[in-house]
């Protein structure tokens, strides 16, 4: 029976988000009472939006990758762990024993939390359950390294994956209101294992900035900046300027530098349009969800549709901060003592870091950039400390692909995820660590439930 379940969910996850998300949105729309035509159109528009985002982020990554490689050669950078990107990381996660079960486990966790009132997010983004599987797979490997039996190590990893999802679901709920207000994504939450992991760091740094004389009064709203700069504050020109800088640092010839500039300008213009298309597809489902809750669960407040953080990367802060962080990240990688990671393939995912930082900073560009720089430093050290464990996990998950890779590697997403790093280190206490993580997760869930009740009383 277990093998059958694993095969079924393997078939579901295999086509990826661009195929499965339209199907999921269509089915969800029907369940929530949307007319067949509207539900079908919503699913198809979401699918088109994902394809568009994939094409544009592919353009971004395709332009940045060679530029970074050129910088590595030009400045003779020598870190021993190359960033191979999120795609191999997802493959490692889904190829693991934890990954084989993560979709049914994730659906059960979400259902339990909804029934107990500890979340109001319906996480339909099942493709990105791989983030939870990645954490679980790493902890599974850690358990075996620490001498636990195969069954115990597997149980340790599976429990950690489930608890990772609980923590992320609470973060998604708590940032959803700000996401609607500052990112202009009403009715949406982002239970994304990578993006949501930076919220605790952002909240702490934001509180510290509130207490620093001088800095606490610095405000840099992106709309105000764009108005003051006039045409030079337009996304296309911001992209072109940073494209020129990146091309210059890479040592490109003038023609190649201008090509880089145009590509960066295009990315900053097109990504928000693709995100808006995604949002257009989700509106009918979001409206149906609110109608369903009002009809069947009156007084229970709103319900959020949990989606990939790709829907939020079109915000000007995400894109502008990300372009600044590309050369800054390489500089930090070089000067940070003890860093093993060379950022490369995953530089295109840097905008995803900022999606849930924006609600924390209330849309302030200056604070978002400061937090982003601090997050990158934290990630380099987290990633460096996890390199060896990641290599072991990769070799075990996909021996033919990774055991003979021929190089030491890591990834920004998820090999440098600070929440994954924290959970791994707590899990070094074996089952005591899982008990600690369980206690943290339960406390967060109970706290979230109380806040949900208060919000429901206010009609929020």
């Amino acid at each position: 029976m277990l093998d059958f379940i694993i095969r079924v969910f393997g078939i579901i996850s295999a086509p990826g988000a661009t195929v499965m998300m339209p199907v999921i949105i269509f089915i969800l729309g029907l369940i929530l009472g949307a007319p067949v035509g509207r539900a079908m159109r919503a699913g198809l528009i979401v699918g088109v939006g994902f394809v568009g985002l994939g094409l544009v982020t592919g353009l971004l990554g395709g332009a940045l990758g060679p530029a970074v490689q050129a910088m590595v050669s030009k400045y003779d950078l020598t870190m021993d762990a190359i960033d191979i990107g999120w795609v191999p990381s997802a493959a490692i996660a889904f190829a693991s024993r934890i990954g084989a079960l993560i979709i049914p486990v994730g659906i059960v966790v979400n259902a339990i939390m909804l029934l107990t009132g500890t979340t109001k997010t319906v996480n339909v983004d099942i493709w990105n359950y791989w983030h939870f599987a990645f954490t679980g797979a790493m902890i599974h490997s850690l358990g075996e390294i620490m001498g636990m039996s195969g069954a115990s190590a597997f149980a340790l990893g599976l429990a950690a994956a489930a608890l990772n999802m609980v923590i992320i679901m609470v973060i998604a709920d708590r940032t959803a209101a700000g996401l609607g207000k500052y990112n202009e994504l009403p009715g949406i939450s982002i239970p994304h294992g990578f993006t949501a992991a930076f919220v605790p760091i952002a909240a702490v740094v934001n509180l510290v900035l509130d207490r620093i004389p001088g800095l606490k009064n610095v405000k840099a709203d992106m709309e105000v900046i764009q108005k003051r700069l006039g045409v030079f504050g337009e996304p296309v020109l911001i992209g072109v300027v940073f494209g020129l800088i990146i091309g210059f640092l890479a040592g490109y010839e003038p023609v190649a530098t201008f090509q880089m500039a145009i590509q960066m300008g295009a990315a900053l213009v097109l990504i928000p349009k693709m995100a808006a298309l995604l949002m257009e597809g989700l509106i009918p489902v979001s409206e149906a969800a609110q109608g369903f809750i009002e009809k069947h669960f009156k007084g229970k407040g709103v319900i959020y549709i949990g989606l990939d953080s790709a829907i939020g990367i079109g915000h000007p802060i995400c894109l502008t901060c990300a372009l600044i962080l590309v050369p800054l990240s390489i500089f930090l990688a070089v000067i940070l003592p003890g860093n093993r990671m060379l950022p490369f393939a995953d530089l295109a995912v840097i905008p995803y870091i900022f999606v849930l930082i924006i609600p924390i900073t209330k849309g302030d560009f200056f604070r978002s950039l400061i937090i982003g720089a601090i997050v990158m430093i934290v990630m380099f050290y987290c990633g460096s400390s996890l390199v060896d464990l990641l290599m072991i996990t990769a070799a075990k998950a996909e021996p033919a692909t990774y055991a003979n890779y021929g190089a030491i590697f890591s990834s920004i997403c998820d090999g440098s995820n600070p929440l994954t790093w924290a959970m791994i280190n707590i899990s070094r206490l074996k089952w005591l660590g899982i008990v600690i993580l369980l206690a943290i997760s339960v406390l967060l869930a109970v706290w979230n439930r109380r806040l949900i009740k208060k919000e429901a009383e206010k009609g929020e």
Side-chain angles (χ1 to χ4, degrees):
M1 182 63 180
L2 182 59
D3 288 340
F4 174 74
I5 293 171
I6 290 171
R7 283 198 301 272
V8 169
F9 283 98
I11 292 169
I12 290 173
S13 63
T18 55
V19 174
M20 290 314 302
M21 282 305 294
V23 176
I24 293 167
I25 292 298
F26 172 64
I27 294 172
L28 182 63
L30 292 180
I31 292 171
L32 294 172
V36 174
R38 289 199 79 196
M40 183 179 293
R41 183 182 184 278
L44 291 173
I45 292 296
V46 166
V48 171
F50 267 109
V51 170
L53 272 175
L55 289 172
V56 182
T57 53
L59 168 70
L60 188 64
L64 289 176
V68 172
Q69 204 163 25
M71 289 182 207
V72 170
S73 299
K74 183 178 179 181
Y75 303 109
D76 194 25
L77 306 182
T78 55
M79 276 69 75
D80 70 335
I82 184 74
D83 163 30
I84 60 172
W86 71 268
V87 175
S89 296
I92 291 167
F94 274 131
S96 69
R97 289 179 63 195
I98 305 294
L101 285 173
I102 194 59
I103 292 177
V105 167
I107 290 171
V108 169
V109 168
N110 195 182
I112 291 171
M113 293 186 74
L114 286 166
L115 290 171
T116 57
T118 51
T119 189
K120 48 186 184 177
T121 290
V122 178
N123 188 356
V124 301
D125 187 25
I126 62 172
W127 167 254
N128 277 309
Y129 285 14
W130 77 260
H131 296 282
F132 313 131
F134 186 91
T135 300
M138 295 277 276
I139 291 173
H140 179 193
S141 296
L142 177 66
E144 292 184 338
I145 291 168
M146 294 189 299
M148 298 177 71
S149 68
S152 294
F154 173 74
L156 191 82
L158 192 62
L163 295 175
N164 188 7
M165 183 171 180
V166 172
I167 293 168
I168 293 296
M169 293 291 284
V170 173
I171 292 173
D173 278 354
R174 292 303 100 216
T175 51
L179 194 69
K181 182 175 182 180
Y182 300 105
N183 302 60
E184 298 181 358
L185 295 171
I188 302 299
S189 68
I190 295 180
H192 191 274
F194 177 68
T195 301
F198 307 110
V199 169
I201 298 172
V204 170
V205 175
N206 198 53
L207 283 173
V208 171
L209 291 174
D210 278 337
R211 285 158 178 75
I212 299 177
L215 278 182
K216 68 180 181 180
N217 296 320
V218 176
K219 301 292 180 185
D221 182 270
M222 199 67 196
E223 290 184 6
V224 173
I225 291 173
Q226 289 177 344
K227 285 179 181 177
R228 288 182 179 177
L229 291 176
V231 69
F232 295 101
E234 292 290 328
V236 63
L237 280 173
I238 292 173
V240 166
V241 168
F242 282 106
L244 290 171
I245 293 170
I246 292 169
F248 173 77
L249 292 174
Y252 281 0
E253 295 294 327
V255 172
T257 299
F258 280 109
Q259 287 176 336
M260 164 67 76
I262 295 300
Q263 288 172 325
M264 293 300 98
L268 260 66
V269 171
L270 294 175
I271 287 177
K273 293 186 184 300
M274 293 303 102
L277 191 62
L278 257 177
M279 195 62 204
E280 179 188 334
L282 290 165
I283 288 172
V285 178
S286 181
E287 290 174 349
Q290 301 311 324
F292 183 85
I293 292 297
E294 184 65 26
K295 181 178 178 181
H296 298 283
F297 302 96
K298 193 164 185 174
K300 296 291 185 180
V302 300
I303 190 170
Y304 300 123
I305 307 298
L307 293 172
D308 189 327
S309 53
I311 195 172
I313 64 170
H315 195 286
I317 287 178
C318 291
L319 297 170
T320 306
C321 285
L323 283 182
I324 294 172
L325 274 192
V326 168
L328 180 59
S329 296
I330 298 168
F331 175 72
L332 289 171
V334 173
I335 66 168
L336 290 174
N339 173 50
R340 298 180 63 182
M341 280 190 61
L342 175 63
F344 177 55
D346 260 346
L347 286 172
V349 307
I350 290 180
Y352 293 77
I353 293 171
F354 291 96
V355 175
L356 290 181
I357 290 177
I358 292 170
I360 302 298
T361 63
K362 298 181 179 178
D364 187 81
F365 171 77
F366 172 75
R367 290 195 176 206
S368 297
L369 183 59
I370 294 295
I371 291 170
I374 292 171
V375 160
M376 288 305 302
I377 294 171
V378 171
M379 288 175 69
F380 280 132
Y381 283 117
C382 289
S384 295
S385 72
L386 294 179
V387 166
D388 296 330
L389 182 60
L390 176 56
M391 294 293 291
I392 292 168
T393 304
K396 186 170 66 174
E398 280 283 357
T401 304
Y402 297 103
N404 300 312
Y405 195 80
I408 298 172
F409 57 82
S410 184
S411 64
I412 290 176
C413 174
D414 253 13
S416 305
N417 187 317
L419 179 57
T420 296
W421 176 88
M423 294 186 72
I424 287 170
N425 281 281
I426 293 172
S427 297
R428 294 185 188 279
L429 298 172
K430 299 183 179 178
W431 285 110
L432 175 59
I434 293 298
V435 170
I436 292 170
L437 290 172
L438 176 62
I440 292 170
S441 301
V442 169
L443 286 172
L444 285 172
V446 170
W447 170 67
N448 195 38
R449 187 173 187 271
R450 289 177 180 172
L451 292 176
I452 289 170
K453 281 188 170 183
K454 288 181 181 178
E455 289 163 355
E457 290 169 1
K458 296 177 182 177
E460 299 175 356

